[in-house]
Structures are given as C-alpha cells and as structure tokens.
C-alpha cells in the first residue's frame, strides 16, 4: 500500500442486484414494478422544454415536495426529497446518528444499513429476528438496549414480514431520546404506515420511495416525512453537500406521477393480487415463506437447496435474488412480476422440481 492510501476512507460497498439486459428475460431480482409508470410521466417528458436546462433546478424541489405533501396530507415543511430513498437514508444516518452509542437494526434486513454505518463511522448492533423472522420490539427498548438510534424497514426486507403499528409505537414509546427511522420502501403493497404516529412522536422519520410502488426506479426519487424540525435538520445537511440533488426532469415527472392516484392504486392492486395467487402456487410446489406484505416473497423449498434453484432459474434467464448469508442462505427473494411472468416461473419450477434426482 502506498503511503497516501493509508488515509483513504475505506469502505466495503453495498452490492446491488444485477441488472442484466437480455431480451425475453424475466427479471424478478430487484423488486422493480413490472408495470410502466403513470402515462403522465411520458406527457411531462414530451412537453419538457430543454431550454430550461440552462438554469439550475429549484433547490427546494417545491413542485415535487408539494405533490408529496398533498398526497399524504402533511405540510410541505414535513417533506424531504432525495435521489432515491438510499440517498434519503444516507442523509438521515449522517444527520441523526451522532451520539456515539450504537444504532440498532435487525440482523436480517436491508444490507445497506451496515454499509452506511461503516462509511459514517457510526457504531451499530444487529438485533436478531425471532425464528419466524419477526422483529422483537422489546429488544429495541432503550432500557434493554441503550442505543443511539433505530432503523428498520416495514415490511422488512428481504423477508416481507410486517411489524404491526402498535409494535412500532411501543418502540417509539421506549426511545424518546433518539431518532427512529422506519424505511417504508414497500409499505404501499399492504402494510400499515407509521405516518399517523408523526402526530405523537417528533423523533420519528418515515422514509418512502417511488422506486417500487410508483414504477420509477430509474428516476431516483425517495422522500422522508417527519416533524418540521427533523426535516430542517435533514435539509441543512443536504444543502451542505449539494444543493441541487433533484434535477428539473425528475421534479416534473415525480410531481405528475404523485398526482395520478388512480393509476397508482390500480397498479398496486394488480401486484397484490398476483402476490396472493403466487403464494398459493409456491405452497403447492413445496415452498414455505413468511406472510409477505411487500412486492416480493421470500421462499425456501422443503427439498431443494435455494442456491441450486437460483442457478437453474438463471439458466432459463429468470433472475431472482439469492443472499449467501447466515440464516437466509436457503432462501430466494422473488419479486412479484406480472401474472404472465409468474406463470413462466411456476411452469419451469413445476417441471424442474418434479424431475428425477
Ligand atoms: C429498494 C429499497 C430502498 C431504496 O430504494 P431507492 O430506489 O433508493 O429509493 C430502501 N430500502 C429498502 C428496504 C429497499 O428495499
């Protein structure tokens, strides 16, 4: 190692799911929405006047912030926006987790949390899920686990399991002195949002994204909703980094997509319907899984190791996600695609699982 390298901030980066580009592939590995975004996105793009690109965008992204505030019936001062919820979460870690005490998150969860903690030198502790992959709320109470903050997804990833609202509230009741971040990337697919708790707890931050339920993963729009004070602290940190994270096109497309509520509800309903049918099919084929409230199902098979199934699917250009990690290395996380895509998956699994071994 050269001398200068000793002073490099070294990080082990997060590894996102692969993005193969093959014609006819079935991509069920990164929880994207199988349906296109609202037609209003195309309208905005077509009408966009490129001359305005000379100018810097609105640093407050007011048009987008207002559309989000209207959607959730909150004040615009309660809304923070960023480049995907990954950006929002990273900013939130930097802003709120500075006590020197370890932050807490589940042992099986979104694998970006420990990466940010390492990057920002935030000590952390992983709290084990129970045997059913459930979060045990008492384990997060400050008197049981002194901590510098809490973060977890609801529903959890990659399990899809929901934590009920009263359990979330109990965690807040027992942690008045730290920020509690609920990452609701998948909440629109049937879990209960923690947003109503904002009225009672000023240290709660709810983070959501347009990447899954609103079919805009390629646009990169995430947002946080919280108490005005929290949002001001977040914006102070963001503007100290880069005042213009949200570009003009993103702001305009995002705002239009939030205003199309009907299409949003339709698409989410289709995904949920396909998910419930897929659960029956997985059961019929000998898989078991927790009761997912997300747009993916985390399955394990009674006889065939997950890694083998993963490889066999890959050869068919059916991409799912496999995590070679303790406790979950016999599971596959399978995104809910269209009914047709899922049928192809089940047809293949049916013949694959029935072949002689
Ligand atoms: C997908 C996901 C995110 C981030 O998504 P963005 O595309 O950055 O908005 C955050 N948290 C969890 C748990 C996710 O699964």
């Amino acid at each position: 190692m050269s001398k200068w390298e000793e002073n490099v901030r070294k990080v082990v980066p997060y590894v996102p799911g692969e993005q193969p580009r093959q014609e006819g592939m079935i991509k069920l590995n990164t929880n994207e929405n199988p349906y296109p975004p609202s037609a209003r996105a195309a309208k905005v793009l077509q009408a966009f006047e490129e001359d305005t690109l000379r100018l810097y965008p609105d640093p407050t992204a007011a048009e987008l912030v207002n559309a989000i505030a209207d959607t959730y019936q909150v004040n615009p001062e309660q809304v923070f926006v960023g480049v995907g919820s990954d950006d929002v979460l990273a900013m939130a870690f930097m802003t709120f987790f500075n006590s020197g005490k370890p932050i807490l998150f589940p042992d099986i969860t979104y694998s970006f949390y420990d990466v940010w903690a390492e990057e920002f030198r935030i000590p952390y502790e992983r709290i084990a899920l129970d045997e059913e992959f459930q979060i045990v709320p008492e384990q997060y109470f400050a008197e049981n686990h002194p901590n510098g903050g809490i973060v977890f997804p609801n529903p959890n990833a990659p399990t899809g399991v929901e934590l009920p609202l009263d359990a979330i509230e109990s965690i807040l009741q027992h942690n008045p002195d730290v920020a509690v971040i609920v990452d609701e990337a998948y909440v629109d697919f049937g879990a209960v949002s923690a947003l109503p708790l904002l009225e009672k707890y000023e240290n709660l931050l709810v983070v959501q994204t347009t990447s899954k339920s609103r079919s805009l993963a390629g646009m990169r729009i995430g947002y946080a909703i919280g108490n005005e004070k929290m949002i001001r602290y977040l914006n102070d940190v963001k503007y100290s980094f880069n005042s213009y994270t949200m570009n003009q096109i993103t702001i305009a497309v995002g705002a239009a997509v939030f205003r199309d509520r009907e299409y949003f509800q339709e698409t989410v309903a289709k995904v949920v319907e396909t998910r419930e049918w897929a659960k029956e099919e997985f059961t019929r084929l000998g898989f078991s899984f927790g009761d997912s409230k997300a747009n993916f199902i985390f399955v394990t098979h009674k006889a065939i190791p997950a890694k083998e199934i993963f490889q066999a699917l890959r050869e068919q250009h059916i991409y799912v996600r496999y995590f070679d990690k303790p406790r979950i290395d016999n599971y596959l996380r399978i995104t809910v695609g269209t009914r047709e895509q899922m049928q192809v998956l089940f047809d293949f699994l049916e013949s694959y699982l029935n072949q002689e071994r």
Side-chain angles (χ1 to χ4, degrees):
M1 199 165 28
S2 306
K3 192 85 182 143
W4 62 268
E5 288 177 272
E6 286 171 19
N7 299 321
V8 167
R9 180 172 294 246
K10 293 176 197 73
V11 286
V12 182
Y14 171 76
V15 185
E18 62 179 328
Q19 291 292 351
R21 309 268 153 164
Q22 284 159 349
E23 214 159 313
M25 70 173 175
I26 294 186
K27 192 169 178 306
L28 306 174
N29 69 332
T30 50
N31 298 341
E32 288 136 333
N33 200 303
Y35 301 106
S38 157
R40 296 195 198 174
K43 266 203 194 141
V44 169
L45 289 170
Q46 277 150 17
F48 191 81
E49 300 202 19
E50 63 270 26
D51 179 59
T52 60
L53 290 176
R54 291 183 302 106
L55 307 171
Y56 280 105
D58 168 14
T60 68
E63 189 187 348
L64 175 60
V65 164
N66 289 335
I68 295 172
D70 288 349
T71 302
Y72 296 96
Q73 301 287 301
V74 295
N75 297 325
E77 292 74 31
Q78 290 182 267
V79 178
F80 174 86
V81 293
V83 186
S85 55
D86 286 340
D87 180 46
V88 174
L89 288 162
M91 290 286 149
F93 271 51
M94 209 184 320
T95 307
F96 299 117
F97 295 158
N98 296 294
S99 78
K101 286 190 207 156
I103 60 165
L104 309 180
F105 48 80
D107 62 337
I108 300 166
T109 196
Y110 190 38
S111 40
F112 226 138
Y113 299 155
D114 55 340
V115 174
W116 288 315
E118 295 280 349
E119 178 160 20
F120 302 138
R121 320 260 161 93
I122 302 165
Y124 60 94
E125 226 177 287
R126 295 186 172 96
I127 308 293
L129 300 179
D130 72 10
E131 288 304 305
E132 252 98 65
F133 289 158
Q134 297 273 4
I135 287 176
V136 184
E138 294 74 25
Q139 299 259 340
Y140 292 80
F141 293 178
E143 64 270 28
N144 299 333
H145 255 123
N147 67 75
I150 289 168
V151 58
F152 57 87
N154 192 41
N156 196 8
T159 61
V161 174
E162 178 186 21
L163 186 65
L165 198 59
D166 58 346
I168 296 176
E169 179 154 20
S170 74
I171 291 174
L172 283 156
Q173 277 165 345
H174 290 263
N175 284 286
D177 300 333
V178 297
V180 175
I181 301 175
V182 183
D183 176 357
E184 296 189 347
Y186 302 101
V187 79
D188 293 328
F189 299 104
V192 176
S193 172
L195 282 172
L197 297 177
L198 287 174
E199 281 182 17
K200 275 163 82 182
Y201 302 93
E202 65 167 28
N203 56 327
L204 166 66
L205 190 74
V206 175
V207 178
Q208 296 191 1
T209 177
T210 64
S211 296
K212 280 95 185 200
S213 58
R214 292 178 204 266
S215 308
L216 285 182
M219 203 82 223
R220 313 305 301 130
I221 302 173
Y223 51 103
I225 302 177
N227 176 279
E228 279 94 346
K229 250 195 301 185
M230 258 194 155
I231 300 304
R232 216 173 314 127
Y233 282 125
L234 263 176
N235 273 319
D236 287 348
V237 169
K238 163 173 148 175
Y239 293 138
S240 317
F241 245 78
N242 177 356
S243 318
Y244 302 110
T245 58
M246 308 307 285
N247 70 65
Q248 292 172 6
I249 296 171
T250 301
I251 292 170
V253 169
V257 165
F258 272 101
R259 303 243 180 243
D260 191 352
R261 213 163 304 180
E262 201 176 317
Y263 180 79
F264 161 71
Q265 281 161 355
E266 246 170 62
T267 350
V268 164
K270 278 199 279 187
V271 171
V272 169
E273 191 190 334
T274 308
R275 178 189 70 206
E276 295 308 309
W277 164 72
K279 285 176 182 172
E280 293 167 21
E281 291 295 292
F282 279 124
T283 303
R284 188 174 64 76
L285 293 167
F287 289 91
S288 54
F289 45 84
D291 187 26
S292 172
K293 292 285 172 64
N295 68 337
F296 56 83
I297 307 178
F298 198 52
V299 301
T300 185
H301 193 264
K302 60 180 191 230
I304 318 292
K307 204 170 185 171
E308 280 178 35
I309 303 174
F310 171 74
Q311 286 300 349
L313 288 171
R314 232 183 119 77
E315 283 162 27
Q316 304 296 311
H317 305 297
I318 301 173
Y319 294 91
V320 301
R321 192 87 190 261
Y322 173 72
F323 300 93
D324 207 346
K325 288 186 174 174
R327 287 189 80 185
I328 56 171
D329 59 1
N330 200 22
Y331 283 81
L332 297 173
R333 191 197 67 190
I334 302 180
T335 305
V336 176
T338 61
R339 177 119 181 172
E340 295 73 28
Q341 290 176 318
M342 300 308 277
Q343 191 63 62
V344 174
L345 168 77
F346 292 128
D347 287 347
F348 171 74
L349 284 175
E350 176 121 51
S351 63
Y352 172 76
L353 296 167
N354 287 331
Q355 80 197 21
E356 303 218 359
R357 287 193 160 70

